[in-house]
Amino acid sequence: MTATLSAESPVSSVRSERIPVAVLGATGSVGQRFVQLLENHPWFRLHELVASERSAEKTYAEAADWRLDTLLPEETAGMTVKKLGAELESVILFSGLDSSVAGEAEEHYANRGAVIVSNSRNHRMDPDVPLLIPEINADHCAAIERQRKRRGGKGYIVTNPNCSTIGLAMAIAPIQQQYGIDCLHVTTMQAISGAGYAGVASYAILDNVIPYIGGGEETKIETEPRKILGRWDGEKFIDASFTISAQVNRVPTIDGHLMTIALSLCNRAELRKSTPIETIIDGIELSIESYIGEPQRLGLPSAPRNPLHYIDAEDRPQPRLDRDRENGMSVSIGRLRPDPILDLKMVALVHNTIRGAAGAAILNAELLDAKGLL
Ligand code: NAP
């Protein structure tokens, strides 16, 4: 299945002048997804490709070992890759850079007036950088004004969350908004594409599960949802107050991070007295199915019609069967049921390189454009 975003989305009109954009880290797993998803984008035109010295001055076809299931777009194949640090002309710089270089490079370009829309972890928890999931916290864009003031120009950074965090935060958002969450435990089963092409040796992952993912994966999942589901008070972000415990595993699927979640609700004793758990579950299923946010209201080109899909089958969601729903931009949820220790448990699935990375960043940039922030 191809992952072009426009097919099922409520597409807005194609513009006569599309905005020139660059991809930093264009040769990597996330960078290739950017290239794929930006082909024929109605608002953005891929203008520059940037990677390391290893790739600079080569054509993109020579530098990138193209591994996606659609053809490398012809006009992109012949573009010359620029070296990180080069002067760039684009208005938006999408970053899929390795985190060893992303922090400094993104600062460099933001301080020179560019809008950075990043996947990398480096600036996610900065006090004036929005950690955006537009369906949940589009209002966090208010922090951009403060960031621009600090930089003394029009440049700024916004980030999307860690790939598992996006699935988790979207799955729990309707529950947090309806009842409030007290605490939560999540166990992830993460696909190998999350580690980049050279990330996990086939000999290590075939016939195996690795109960560890480096780069502070568990800490990211335990902290980022609290910022996302928290609020901007005009000066700073105030985290949501629930606690999260995360355990992560690398499993031998190609794409799609699956996770099992158990949680307790706020005021559970009073709630249980007043409302049977089955009624709570029915209400949550309905709010999952009807959940929408700014991207749907604004009709952004990459927005899924339904960001959350509740699948009413006892053995779903599954990575191979459900990761490509709405071109990989929706999160699938299933098996919502009572939990004998906490209150509820369920399963969620997110396409890690689309909704969890490049697709999420493109949706963020569409939101910034729609809000007049470019
Ligand atoms: P990757 O496949 O290893 O690609 C890394 C990119 O960074 C390549 O384009 C590489 O260029 C470039 N790069 C590496 N070292 C560089 C240097 N010294 N100077 C300039 N460019 C350099 O990694 P990835 O999986 O795409 O991940 C990219 C970023 O997105 C990471 O920060 C990761 O944590 C984040 N992320 C990944 C996922 C996912 O599912 N994969 C999801 C969410 C977020 P060369 O080819 O020239 O070396």
Side-chain angles (χ1 to χ4, degrees):
M1 180 170 180
T2 60
T4 312
L5 285 182
S6 54
E8 290 183 25
S9 311
V11 182
S12 307
S13 56
V14 178
R15 297 173 180 194
S16 53
E17 286 281 325
R18 291 185 299 161
I19 297 165
V21 303
V23 177
L24 313 182
T27 49
S29 298
V30 173
Q32 293 190 18
R33 274 285 179 210
F34 273 124
V35 169
Q36 182 192 50
L37 298 177
L38 287 167
E39 190 189 9
N40 304 321
H41 192 282
W43 295 1
F44 307 140
R45 173 175 57 81
L46 185 55
H47 179 56
E48 291 162 307
L49 299 163
V50 180
S52 76
E53 272 179 16
R54 293 180 287 278
S55 309
E57 303 309 325
K58 295 180 183 164
T59 64
Y60 187 66
E62 288 165 348
D65 191 2
W66 185 258
R67 296 200 172 266
L68 296 180
D69 57 4
T70 52
L71 289 177
L72 169 57
E74 231 171 87
E75 65 275 27
T76 311
M79 285 169 67
T80 303
V81 177
K82 298 186 175 180
K83 191 173 106 179
L84 189 64
E87 286 290 319
L88 300 176
E89 297 161 353
S90 300
V91 174
I92 303 172
L93 313 186
F94 289 107
S95 172
L97 284 169
D98 188 86
S99 57
S100 61
V101 290
E104 208 179 309
E106 291 171 3
E107 278 289 318
H108 168 87
Y109 287 117
N111 289 338
R112 277 160 186 73
V115 172
I116 313 297
V117 182
S118 176
N119 282 278
S120 301
R121 65 167 182 258
N122 308 61
H123 293 291
R124 285 185 191 144
M125 301 308 279
D126 289 4
D128 55 9
V129 170
L131 184 55
L132 275 184
I133 299 180
E135 281 89 347
I136 300 177
N137 64 356
D139 59 318
H140 286 198
C141 289
I144 289 168
E145 197 188 316
R146 169 164 274 259
Q147 204 191 134
R148 278 177 158 163
K149 233 178 251 168
R150 167 167 68 85
R151 296 184 191 283
K154 64 183 179 55
Y156 62 88
I157 300 172
V158 301
T159 59
N160 55 252
N162 164 276
C163 39
S164 291
T165 300
I166 294 186
L168 175 64
M170 289 181 67
I172 64 173
I175 305 177
Q176 167 70 1
Q177 284 160 11
Q178 214 173 338
Y179 294 103
I181 293 169
D182 179 46
C183 63
L184 178 159
H185 187 273
V186 58
T187 299
T188 67
M189 288 146 271
Q190 301 188 203
I192 52 178
S193 61
Y197 182 71
V200 193
S202 54
Y203 205 78
I205 194 66
L206 287 174
D207 186 31
N208 208 8
V209 171
I210 302 171
Y212 173 75
I213 294 174
E217 190 77 1
E218 286 176 351
T219 306
K220 288 182 234 170
I221 299 170
E222 289 173 354
T223 52
E224 292 178 10
R226 300 182 57 213
K227 180 173 179 182
I228 296 160
L229 287 154
R231 64 189 172 85
W232 172 254
D233 76 352
E235 296 290 322
K236 57 187 179 310
F237 290 105
I238 313 281
D239 284 353
S241 59
F242 55 81
T243 48
I244 300 176
S245 167
Q247 299 193 67
V248 297
N249 300 282
R250 187 72 73 194
V251 300
T253 45
I254 304 281
D255 287 319
H257 291 352
L258 190 75
M259 60 197 83
T260 53
I261 302 163
L263 57 87
S264 70
L265 304 172
C266 289
N267 306 317
R268 59 192 294 217
E270 286 142 57
L271 194 63
R272 283 200 163 199
K273 262 189 253 162
S274 63
T275 320
I277 193 76
E278 292 72 23
T279 308
I280 293 175
I281 287 174
D282 287 347
I284 291 172
E285 281 181 20
L286 279 179
S287 52
I288 287 171
E289 282 165 350
S290 59
Y291 191 80
I292 57 161
E294 284 291 274
Q296 290 69 36
R297 282 190 282 274
L298 293 168
L300 300 181
S302 301
R305 197 172 302 121
N306 294 105
L308 303 178
H309 287 206
Y310 190 81
I311 308 180
D312 210 3
E314 61 189 10
D315 60 351
R316 304 281 279 274
Q318 296 179 19
R320 191 148 45 83
L321 301 183
D322 299 309
R323 64 191 168 204
D324 290 322
R325 281 173 179 250
E326 300 215 42
N327 301 312
M329 285 298 284
S330 62
V331 168
S332 297
I333 300 165
R335 307 208 65 215
L336 181 62
R337 59 208 191 280
D339 181 78
I341 297 174
L342 301 176
D343 288 316
L344 299 168
K345 53 187 170 181
M346 61 185 183
V347 183
L349 171 73
V350 60
H351 194 306
N352 55 298
T353 63
I354 302 180
R355 186 68 211 217
I362 292 171
L363 188 64
N364 284 349
E366 291 168 3
L367 178 77
L368 298 172
D369 189 13
K371 280 178 165 283
L373 287 164
L374 295 181

